[in-house]
Protein backbone atom coordinates (compact mmCIF):
# COMPACT_ATOMS: atom_id res chain seq x y z
CA UNK A 1 0.00 0.00 0.00
CA UNK A 2 1.38 3.47 -0.75
CA UNK A 3 1.45 6.42 1.63
CA UNK A 4 -1.53 8.13 -0.02
CA UNK A 5 -3.83 5.11 0.40
CA UNK A 6 -2.74 4.80 4.02
CA UNK A 7 -3.25 8.48 4.62
CA UNK A 8 -6.81 8.36 3.26
CA UNK A 9 -7.54 5.40 5.54
CA UNK A 10 -6.25 7.18 8.63
CA UNK A 11 -8.25 10.37 8.01
CA UNK A 12 -11.45 8.28 8.01
CA UNK A 13 -10.89 8.08 11.80
CA UNK A 14 -12.00 11.37 13.35
CA UNK A 15 -9.43 11.87 16.11
CA UNK A 16 -9.69 15.42 17.45
CA UNK A 17 -8.21 15.55 20.93
CA UNK A 18 -10.14 17.22 23.74
CA UNK A 19 -8.57 19.63 26.18
CA UNK A 20 -11.49 19.30 28.59
CA UNK A 21 -10.92 15.57 29.04
CA UNK A 22 -8.63 14.25 31.78
CA UNK A 23 -8.33 10.77 30.31
CA UNK A 24 -5.43 9.55 28.21
CA UNK A 25 -6.00 9.44 25.31
CA UNK A 26 -8.40 12.35 25.63
CA UNK A 27 -10.78 10.87 23.04
CA UNK A 28 -11.59 7.14 22.51
CA UNK A 29 -11.30 7.41 18.72
CA UNK A 30 -7.53 7.73 19.13
CA UNK A 31 -7.47 4.25 20.66
CA UNK A 32 -9.35 2.90 17.66
CA UNK A 33 -6.86 4.43 15.26
CA UNK A 34 -4.02 3.17 17.48
CA UNK A 35 -5.38 -0.38 17.30
CA UNK A 36 -5.67 -0.12 13.53
CA UNK A 37 -2.07 1.10 13.16
CA UNK A 38 -0.74 -1.58 15.54
CA UNK A 39 -2.40 -4.28 13.40
CA UNK A 40 -0.82 -2.76 10.31
CA UNK A 41 2.63 -2.72 11.90
CA UNK A 42 2.29 -6.39 12.86
CA UNK A 43 1.16 -7.30 9.34
CA UNK A 44 4.19 -5.51 7.88
CA UNK A 45 6.45 -7.55 10.15
CA UNK A 46 7.54 -5.15 12.88
CA UNK A 47 8.48 -6.69 16.24
CA UNK A 48 7.35 -5.85 19.77
CA UNK A 49 4.30 -4.00 18.48
CA UNK A 50 2.10 -2.73 21.29
CA UNK A 51 -0.75 -0.34 21.88
CA UNK A 52 -0.51 0.60 25.55
CA UNK A 53 -3.36 1.59 27.84
CA UNK A 54 -2.64 5.31 27.30
CA UNK A 55 -3.05 5.00 23.56
CA UNK A 56 0.63 5.03 22.53
CA UNK A 57 1.62 2.66 19.71
CA UNK A 58 5.18 1.32 19.53
CA UNK A 59 6.95 -0.97 17.08
CA UNK A 60 10.47 -2.03 16.19
CA UNK A 61 12.11 -3.14 12.96
CA UNK A 62 15.47 -4.88 13.53
CA UNK A 63 18.42 -3.73 11.44
CA UNK A 64 19.68 -5.76 8.52
CA UNK A 65 22.80 -6.38 6.45
CA UNK A 66 25.75 -4.03 6.83
CA UNK A 67 23.73 -1.62 8.99
CA UNK A 68 22.32 -4.25 11.35
CA UNK A 69 24.67 -3.14 14.13
CA UNK A 70 24.28 0.62 13.57
CA UNK A 71 22.53 2.67 16.26
CA UNK A 72 18.74 2.54 15.99
CA UNK A 73 16.88 5.57 14.69
CA UNK A 74 13.35 6.49 15.75
CA UNK A 75 10.42 8.11 13.93
CA UNK A 76 7.44 9.55 15.78
CA UNK A 77 4.19 11.20 14.81
CA UNK A 78 0.88 11.90 16.51
CA UNK A 79 -2.57 10.41 15.99
CA UNK A 80 -4.79 13.22 17.24
CA UNK A 81 -5.94 16.21 15.24
CA UNK A 82 -6.45 19.74 16.47
CA UNK A 83 -9.66 20.50 18.36
CA UNK A 84 -9.64 23.99 16.82
CA UNK A 85 -11.58 22.80 13.73
CA UNK A 86 -14.20 20.06 13.24
CA UNK A 87 -12.48 16.70 12.72
CA UNK A 88 -15.27 14.14 12.28
CA UNK A 89 -16.67 12.92 8.98
CA UNK A 90 -13.72 14.14 6.93
CA UNK A 91 -14.43 13.92 3.20
CA UNK A 92 -11.11 14.33 1.42
CA UNK A 93 -10.88 14.74 -2.32
CA UNK A 94 -8.01 14.77 -4.76
CA UNK A 95 -7.74 17.58 -7.26
CA UNK A 96 -5.24 18.81 -9.81
CA UNK A 97 -4.16 22.33 -8.92
CA UNK A 98 -4.52 24.56 -11.94
CA UNK A 99 -3.43 27.86 -10.40
CA UNK A 100 -5.34 30.63 -8.64
CA UNK A 101 -7.62 30.05 -5.64
CA UNK A 102 -9.16 26.67 -4.82
CA UNK A 103 -12.89 26.77 -4.03
CA UNK A 104 -13.77 23.79 -1.84
CA UNK A 105 -16.87 21.61 -2.24
CA UNK A 106 -18.90 23.54 0.35
CA UNK A 107 -18.93 26.39 -2.17
CA UNK A 108 -17.80 28.92 0.44
CA UNK A 109 -14.32 28.05 1.67
CA UNK A 110 -11.33 28.95 -0.51
CA UNK A 111 -7.66 28.10 -0.29
CA UNK A 112 -6.32 31.35 -1.64
CA UNK A 113 -3.06 31.97 -3.43
CA UNK A 114 -2.69 35.06 -1.26
CA UNK A 115 -2.82 33.13 2.01
CA UNK A 116 -0.78 30.20 0.69
CA UNK A 117 2.16 31.50 -1.37
CA UNK A 118 3.38 27.86 -1.52
CA UNK A 119 0.64 27.21 -4.09
CA UNK A 120 2.72 29.05 -6.71
CA UNK A 121 5.10 26.09 -6.79
CA UNK A 122 2.34 23.48 -6.96
CA UNK A 123 0.65 24.20 -10.32
CA UNK A 124 -0.08 20.89 -12.07
CA UNK A 125 0.30 18.89 -8.83
CA UNK A 126 -2.30 16.60 -7.30
CA UNK A 127 -3.52 17.93 -3.94
CA UNK A 128 -5.68 16.34 -1.28
CA UNK A 129 -8.15 18.89 0.12
CA UNK A 130 -11.20 18.86 2.39
CA UNK A 131 -14.77 19.74 1.48
CA UNK A 132 -14.48 22.89 3.60
CA UNK A 133 -16.42 21.47 6.57
CA UNK A 134 -13.57 19.90 8.52
CA UNK A 135 -9.83 19.93 8.84
CA UNK A 136 -7.95 17.34 6.78
CA UNK A 137 -5.76 15.71 9.41
CA UNK A 138 -2.51 15.76 7.46
CA UNK A 139 -1.25 17.08 10.80
CA UNK A 140 -0.24 14.49 11.61
CA UNK A 141 -1.70 11.49 9.81
CA UNK A 142 0.56 12.32 6.89
CA UNK A 143 3.46 11.67 9.25
CA UNK A 144 1.99 8.32 10.31
CA UNK A 145 1.33 7.26 6.71
CA UNK A 146 4.88 8.18 5.70
CA UNK A 147 6.50 6.35 8.62
CA UNK A 148 4.40 3.18 8.27
CA UNK A 149 4.92 3.07 4.50
CA UNK A 150 8.65 3.64 4.96
CA UNK A 151 8.71 0.68 7.38
CA UNK A 152 7.03 -1.49 4.76
CA UNK A 153 9.63 -0.46 2.17
CA UNK A 154 12.44 -0.99 4.67
CA UNK A 155 11.43 -4.63 5.22
CA UNK A 156 12.51 -5.23 1.62
CA UNK A 157 15.97 -3.59 1.64
CA UNK A 158 19.17 -5.48 2.36
CA UNK A 159 20.89 -2.90 4.52
CA UNK A 160 19.03 -0.88 7.13
CA UNK A 161 19.51 0.57 10.60
CA UNK A 162 17.27 -0.74 13.37
CA UNK A 163 14.17 1.45 13.36
CA UNK A 164 11.88 2.24 16.30
CA UNK A 165 8.52 3.89 15.66
CA UNK A 166 5.94 5.45 17.96
CA UNK A 167 2.59 7.11 17.44
CA UNK A 168 1.35 9.28 20.27
CA UNK A 169 -2.04 10.63 21.34
CA UNK A 170 -2.93 14.19 22.34
CA UNK A 171 -0.03 16.16 20.87
CA UNK A 172 -2.36 18.99 19.88
CA UNK A 173 -3.34 19.58 23.49
CA UNK A 174 0.27 19.48 24.67
CA UNK A 175 0.25 16.01 26.24
CA UNK A 176 1.86 13.88 23.52
CA UNK A 177 5.14 13.43 25.35
CA UNK A 178 3.61 13.03 28.84
CA UNK A 179 3.49 9.23 28.95
CA UNK A 180 6.01 8.41 26.23
CA UNK A 181 8.07 5.35 27.11
CA UNK A 182 11.55 6.69 26.37
CA UNK A 183 13.26 3.65 27.94
CA UNK A 184 11.17 1.08 26.11
CA UNK A 185 11.20 2.92 22.79
CA UNK A 186 14.22 1.14 21.30
CA UNK A 187 16.23 4.09 19.93
CA UNK A 188 18.39 6.74 21.59
CA UNK A 189 17.63 9.37 18.97
CA UNK A 190 14.64 10.07 16.78
CA UNK A 191 12.79 12.46 14.54
CA UNK A 192 9.22 13.65 14.85
CA UNK A 193 7.63 13.78 11.41
CA UNK A 194 5.07 16.47 11.99
CA UNK A 195 3.80 19.39 10.04
CA UNK A 196 5.23 21.78 7.53
CA UNK A 197 5.98 21.94 3.81
CA UNK A 198 8.34 19.27 2.55
CA UNK A 199 12.01 19.97 3.24
CA UNK A 200 11.70 21.61 6.65
CA UNK A 201 14.04 20.54 9.43
CA UNK A 202 13.48 22.06 12.84
CA UNK A 203 15.66 21.83 15.90
CA UNK A 204 15.20 25.23 17.51
CA UNK A 205 11.96 26.06 19.25
CA UNK A 206 10.77 28.47 21.88
CA UNK A 207 11.40 28.24 25.56
CA UNK A 208 7.87 28.43 26.88
CA UNK A 209 6.04 29.29 30.08
CA UNK A 210 2.44 30.01 30.96
CA UNK A 211 1.08 32.17 33.75
CA UNK A 212 -2.16 32.72 35.55
CA UNK A 213 -2.56 35.93 37.53
CA UNK A 214 -5.33 36.25 40.02
CA UNK A 215 -6.14 39.88 40.88
CA UNK A 216 -8.16 40.58 44.00
CA UNK A 217 -9.99 43.89 44.32
CA UNK A 218 -12.26 45.36 46.94
CA UNK A 219 -15.80 45.84 45.74
CA UNK A 220 -17.84 48.55 47.47
CA UNK A 221 -21.19 50.05 46.46
CA UNK A 222 -20.11 52.67 43.93
CA UNK A 223 -22.09 55.35 45.76
CA UNK A 224 -19.92 54.88 48.87
CA UNK A 225 -16.67 53.79 47.25
CA UNK A 226 -14.55 56.91 47.68
CA UNK A 227 -11.14 56.01 48.98
CA UNK A 228 -12.16 52.36 49.44
CA UNK A 229 -12.88 50.64 46.14
CA UNK A 230 -10.10 48.71 44.46
CA UNK A 231 -11.51 47.69 41.11
CA UNK A 232 -9.94 44.38 40.01
CA UNK A 233 -10.80 45.05 36.35
CA UNK A 234 -8.77 48.25 36.36
CA UNK A 235 -5.97 46.64 38.39
CA UNK A 236 -5.73 43.87 35.79
CA UNK A 237 -5.71 46.49 33.07
CA UNK A 238 -2.83 48.23 34.80
CA UNK A 239 -0.89 44.96 34.78
CA UNK A 240 -1.52 44.55 31.03
CA UNK A 241 -0.41 48.09 30.30
CA UNK A 242 2.96 47.46 31.96
CA UNK A 243 3.99 44.67 29.58
CA UNK A 244 6.07 46.01 26.65
CA UNK A 245 3.65 46.67 23.76
CA UNK A 246 6.23 45.99 21.03
CA UNK A 247 6.90 42.52 22.41
CA UNK A 248 3.67 40.86 21.38
CA UNK A 249 3.18 38.06 18.84
CA UNK A 250 1.83 40.52 16.29
CA UNK A 251 5.02 42.55 16.38
CA UNK A 252 7.67 39.81 16.51
CA UNK A 253 9.17 37.20 14.19
CA UNK A 254 12.13 34.84 13.74
CA UNK A 255 13.82 34.25 17.07
CA UNK A 256 12.22 37.24 18.82
CA UNK A 257 10.32 36.44 21.98
CA UNK A 258 7.03 37.81 23.27
CA UNK A 259 4.42 38.14 26.01
CA UNK A 260 0.95 37.08 24.93
CA UNK A 261 -2.28 37.50 26.88
CA UNK A 262 -4.61 34.61 26.13
CA UNK A 263 -7.60 35.45 28.31
CA UNK A 264 -8.99 37.81 30.89
CA UNK A 265 -12.13 37.28 32.90
CA UNK A 266 -13.68 38.68 36.03
CA UNK A 267 -15.40 41.67 37.61
CA UNK A 268 -14.67 44.46 40.12
CA UNK A 269 -14.04 41.92 42.89
CA UNK A 270 -11.62 39.62 41.16
CA UNK A 271 -10.04 39.07 37.76
CA UNK A 272 -7.98 36.31 36.24
CA UNK A 273 -5.46 37.08 33.54
CA UNK A 274 -3.83 34.23 31.63
CA UNK A 275 -0.91 34.48 29.30
CA UNK A 276 2.14 32.86 27.82
CA UNK A 277 5.81 33.81 27.56
CA UNK A 278 8.01 32.69 24.67
CA UNK A 279 11.67 33.24 23.79
CA UNK A 280 14.21 31.22 21.81
CA UNK A 281 17.03 32.53 23.97
CA UNK A 282 17.15 30.92 27.40
CA UNK A 283 18.54 34.02 29.13
CA UNK A 284 15.94 36.20 27.41
CA UNK A 285 13.24 33.75 28.51
CA UNK A 286 14.33 33.91 32.15
CA UNK A 287 14.44 37.72 31.92
CA UNK A 288 10.86 37.81 30.60
CA UNK A 289 9.64 35.71 33.52
CA UNK A 290 11.42 38.11 35.89
CA UNK A 291 9.72 41.06 34.21
CA UNK A 292 6.25 39.60 34.81
CA UNK A 293 7.15 38.77 38.40
CA UNK A 294 8.57 42.27 38.89
CA UNK A 295 5.43 43.96 37.58
CA UNK A 296 3.29 41.89 39.98
CA UNK A 297 5.59 42.77 42.89
CA UNK A 298 5.36 46.46 42.05
CA UNK A 299 1.56 46.34 41.83
CA UNK A 300 1.34 44.34 45.05
CA UNK A 301 3.33 47.12 46.69
CA UNK A 302 0.95 49.70 45.28
CA UNK A 303 -2.37 47.98 46.09
CA UNK A 304 -1.48 45.84 49.10
CA UNK A 305 0.23 42.49 49.54
CA UNK A 306 -1.43 39.42 48.05
CA UNK A 307 -3.62 41.28 45.56
CA UNK A 308 -1.59 40.15 42.52
CA UNK A 309 -1.14 36.41 42.93
CA UNK A 310 0.98 35.02 40.09
CA UNK A 311 1.46 31.36 39.16
CA UNK A 312 4.14 30.93 36.53
CA UNK A 313 4.92 27.50 35.07
CA UNK A 314 7.55 26.40 32.56
CA UNK A 315 6.02 24.43 29.67
CA UNK A 316 8.97 23.35 27.53
CA UNK A 317 12.46 24.45 26.53
CA UNK A 318 14.37 25.07 23.31
CA UNK A 319 15.65 21.67 22.19
CA UNK A 320 18.66 23.27 20.50
CA UNK A 321 20.86 22.70 23.54
CA UNK A 322 20.06 18.97 23.44
CA UNK A 323 20.59 18.68 19.65
CA UNK A 324 23.87 20.60 19.39
CA UNK A 325 25.91 17.66 20.76
CA UNK A 326 24.20 15.44 18.15
CA UNK A 327 24.35 17.53 15.01
CA UNK A 328 24.69 14.40 12.87
CA UNK A 329 20.89 14.16 13.23
CA UNK A 330 20.55 17.38 11.26
CA UNK A 331 23.27 16.56 8.72
CA UNK A 332 21.81 13.09 8.10
CA UNK A 333 18.35 14.55 7.56
CA UNK A 334 19.74 17.14 5.15
CA UNK A 335 21.48 14.40 3.17
CA UNK A 336 18.27 12.33 3.10
CA UNK A 337 16.29 15.26 1.69
CA UNK A 338 18.98 16.07 -0.88
CA UNK A 339 19.04 12.45 -2.05
CA UNK A 340 15.30 12.82 -2.73
CA UNK A 341 15.94 16.05 -4.68
CA UNK A 342 14.41 18.27 -1.99
CA UNK A 343 16.31 21.33 -0.74
CA UNK A 344 16.32 21.18 3.06
CA UNK A 345 15.22 24.32 4.89
CA UNK A 346 16.29 24.75 8.51
CA UNK A 347 14.24 27.25 10.44
CA UNK A 348 13.46 28.06 14.07
CA UNK A 349 9.96 27.04 15.18
CA UNK A 350 7.84 29.77 16.70
CA UNK A 351 6.17 27.21 18.90
CA UNK A 352 7.07 23.94 20.50
CA UNK A 353 7.13 20.35 19.40
CA UNK A 354 6.71 17.09 21.23
CA UNK A 355 10.25 16.44 20.08
CA UNK A 356 11.39 19.36 22.20
CA UNK A 357 9.93 17.77 25.31
CA UNK A 358 11.24 14.33 24.35
CA UNK A 359 14.69 15.87 23.84
CA UNK A 360 14.67 16.90 27.50
CA UNK A 361 13.35 13.47 28.53
CA UNK A 362 16.49 11.86 27.08
CA UNK A 363 15.48 11.30 23.47
CA UNK A 364 17.04 13.96 21.19
CA UNK A 365 14.36 14.54 18.60
CA UNK A 366 14.43 17.20 15.86
CA UNK A 367 11.37 17.59 13.63
CA UNK A 368 10.99 16.84 9.93
CA UNK A 369 8.21 18.11 7.68
CA UNK A 370 5.27 15.83 7.01
CA UNK A 371 4.33 17.83 3.90
CA UNK A 372 0.91 19.35 4.68
CA UNK A 373 -0.13 23.00 4.79
CA UNK A 374 -2.86 25.08 6.45
CA UNK A 375 -2.91 23.03 9.64
CA UNK A 376 -5.73 23.08 12.17
CA UNK A 377 -8.07 24.63 9.62
CA UNK A 378 -10.70 23.67 7.07
CA UNK A 379 -8.26 24.80 4.42
CA UNK A 380 -5.66 22.21 5.31
CA UNK A 381 -4.25 20.35 2.29
CA UNK A 382 -1.33 18.21 1.23
CA UNK A 383 0.35 17.62 -2.14
CA UNK A 384 0.16 13.90 -2.98
CA UNK A 385 3.80 13.97 -4.06
CA UNK A 386 4.89 15.08 -0.56
CA UNK A 387 3.52 11.85 0.94
CA UNK A 388 5.66 9.73 -1.38
CA UNK A 389 8.73 11.91 -1.10
CA UNK A 390 8.69 12.08 2.70
CA UNK A 391 8.34 8.30 2.75
CA UNK A 392 11.53 8.12 0.68
CA UNK A 393 13.31 10.60 2.94
CA UNK A 394 12.59 8.36 5.94
CA UNK A 395 13.86 5.34 4.01
CA UNK A 396 16.99 7.33 3.07
CA UNK A 397 17.73 8.12 6.73
CA UNK A 398 17.28 4.49 7.79
CA UNK A 399 19.41 3.10 4.96
CA UNK A 400 22.45 5.35 5.52
CA UNK A 401 25.05 4.96 8.23
CA UNK A 402 24.78 7.79 10.78
CA UNK A 403 27.52 10.37 10.30
CA UNK A 404 29.76 11.37 13.20
CA UNK A 405 29.24 14.51 15.31
ZN1 LIG B 1 1.20 18.10 14.44
Amino acid sequence: MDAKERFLKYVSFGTNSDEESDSCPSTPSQLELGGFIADELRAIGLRSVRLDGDGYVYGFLPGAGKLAGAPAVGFISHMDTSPSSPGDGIRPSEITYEGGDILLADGRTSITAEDFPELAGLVGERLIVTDGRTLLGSDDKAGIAEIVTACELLTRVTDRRPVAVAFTPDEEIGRGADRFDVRGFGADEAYTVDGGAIGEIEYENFNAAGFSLSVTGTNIHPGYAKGLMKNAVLMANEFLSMLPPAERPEHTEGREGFYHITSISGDESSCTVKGIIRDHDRAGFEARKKTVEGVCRYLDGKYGAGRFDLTLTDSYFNMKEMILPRMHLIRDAEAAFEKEGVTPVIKPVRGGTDGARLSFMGLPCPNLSAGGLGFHSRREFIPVSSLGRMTNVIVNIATAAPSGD
Side-chain angles (χ1 to χ4, degrees):
M1 199 185 295
D2 68 14
K4 183 182 87 178
E5 288 170 77
R6 280 214 166 83
F7 173 67
L8 293 174
K9 251 202 185 109
Y10 299 153
V11 301
S12 72
F13 293 80
T15 56
N16 274 11
S17 41
D18 177 8
E19 215 155 8
E20 302 299 313
S21 161
D22 289 329
S23 57
C24 182
S26 66
T27 49
S29 56
Q30 297 184 65
L31 275 180
E32 278 172 47
L33 177 59
F36 182 84
I37 295 168
D39 287 343
E40 258 193 313
L41 295 178
R42 284 186 201 104
I44 289 170
L46 268 70
R47 308 270 176 84
S48 314
V49 175
R50 62 193 163 107
L51 165 66
D52 73 13
D54 297 320
Y56 290 68
V57 180
Y58 301 92
F60 187 76
L61 184 64
K66 289 184 206 125
L67 292 170
V73 59
F75 297 98
I76 299 163
S77 52
H78 63 89
M79 296 183 287
D80 64 319
T81 48
S82 167
S84 52
S85 290
D88 278 326
I90 296 168
R91 287 198 286 249
S93 61
E94 203 181 317
I95 59 161
T96 301
Y97 179 56
E98 282 157 357
D101 299 346
I102 303 167
L103 181 64
L104 300 176
D106 69 347
R108 283 182 292 138
T109 313
S110 285
I111 304 173
T112 63
E114 189 188 348
D115 290 345
F116 294 92
E118 300 88 347
L119 281 174
L122 294 171
V123 178
E125 289 243 12
R126 303 285 288 166
L127 308 180
I128 301 174
V129 299
T130 72
D131 63 359
R133 294 166 35 258
T134 65
L135 47 67
L136 177 62
S138 73
D139 176 13
D140 189 21
K141 287 162 183 161
I144 307 173
E146 290 152 4
I147 293 170
V148 174
T149 309
C151 285
E152 188 174 26
L153 297 176
L154 285 166
T155 59
R156 301 180 201 140
V157 304
T158 19
D159 301 308
R160 64 166 185 260
R161 293 170 66 178
V163 173
V165 301
F167 306 107
T168 69
D170 294 335
E171 188 269 355
E172 298 289 2
I173 53 171
R175 302 179 198 163
D178 285 4
R179 302 187 188 193
F180 193 98
D181 180 12
V182 171
R183 272 168 167 247
F185 177 50
D188 294 332
E189 54 190 40
Y191 299 91
T192 48
V193 181
D194 184 10
I198 185 152
E200 287 175 6
I201 303 174
E202 297 159 332
Y203 68 96
E204 290 181 62
N205 60 283
F206 276 140
N207 295 289
F211 63 84
S212 177
L213 172 64
S214 140
V215 182
T216 307
T218 302
N219 193 13
I220 310 271
H221 186 293
Y224 308 91
K226 187 170 184 185
L228 298 171
M229 182 186 274
K230 292 180 177 170
N231 186 334
V233 175
L234 300 178
M235 291 159 72
N237 184 51
E238 193 169 345
F239 166 79
L240 297 181
S241 70
M242 291 180 73
L243 297 179
E247 298 175 24
R248 295 177 185 159
E250 62 269 40
H251 302 303
T252 51
E253 62 184 357
R255 290 184 178 78
E256 292 167 345
F258 59 72
Y259 306 88
H260 175 52
I261 303 303
T262 55
S263 79
I264 174 162
S265 60
D267 54 26
E268 310 103 304
S269 309
S270 66
C271 257
T272 303
V273 180
K274 290 188 176 174
I276 60 173
I277 295 170
R278 299 289 186 263
D279 205 309
H280 275 90
D281 179 65
R282 187 67 179 259
F285 173 65
E286 298 301 332
R288 279 179 197 284
K289 291 194 287 184
K290 288 222 155 54
T291 298
V292 172
E293 285 166 346
V295 167
C296 290
R297 242 193 337 269
Y298 164 79
L299 291 170
D300 245 2
K302 181 170 171 182
Y303 288 96
R307 295 207 175 244
F308 285 79
D309 184 17
L310 178 72
T311 309
L312 212 150
T313 317
D314 288 333
S315 310
Y316 53 83
F317 300 106
N318 188 343
M319 74 171 112
K320 185 180 176 184
E321 61 185 273
M322 308 309 285
I323 305 297
L324 283 178
R326 305 225 193 181
M327 280 306 277
H328 71 273
L329 282 167
I330 307 306
R331 276 197 310 278
D332 295 349
E334 285 182 294
F337 274 116
E338 277 159 8
K339 194 172 168 198
E340 182 56 25
V342 177
T343 308
V345 180
I346 297 182
K347 57 176 200 183
V349 191
R350 287 181 67 75
T353 70
D354 268 0
R357 289 185 54 217
L358 291 171
S359 294
F360 285 90
M361 287 161 68
L363 182 66
C365 199
N367 184 55
L368 307 178
S369 56
L373 292 145
F375 294 151
H376 303 185
S377 83
R378 298 160 198 250
R379 303 190 297 165
E380 185 182 358
F381 68 98
I382 186 166
V384 172
S385 64
S386 295
L387 289 162
R389 300 180 96 179
M390 267 320 292
T391 301
N392 294 342
V393 169
I394 294 166
V395 169
N396 291 346
I397 290 174
T399 51
S403 59
D405 285 308

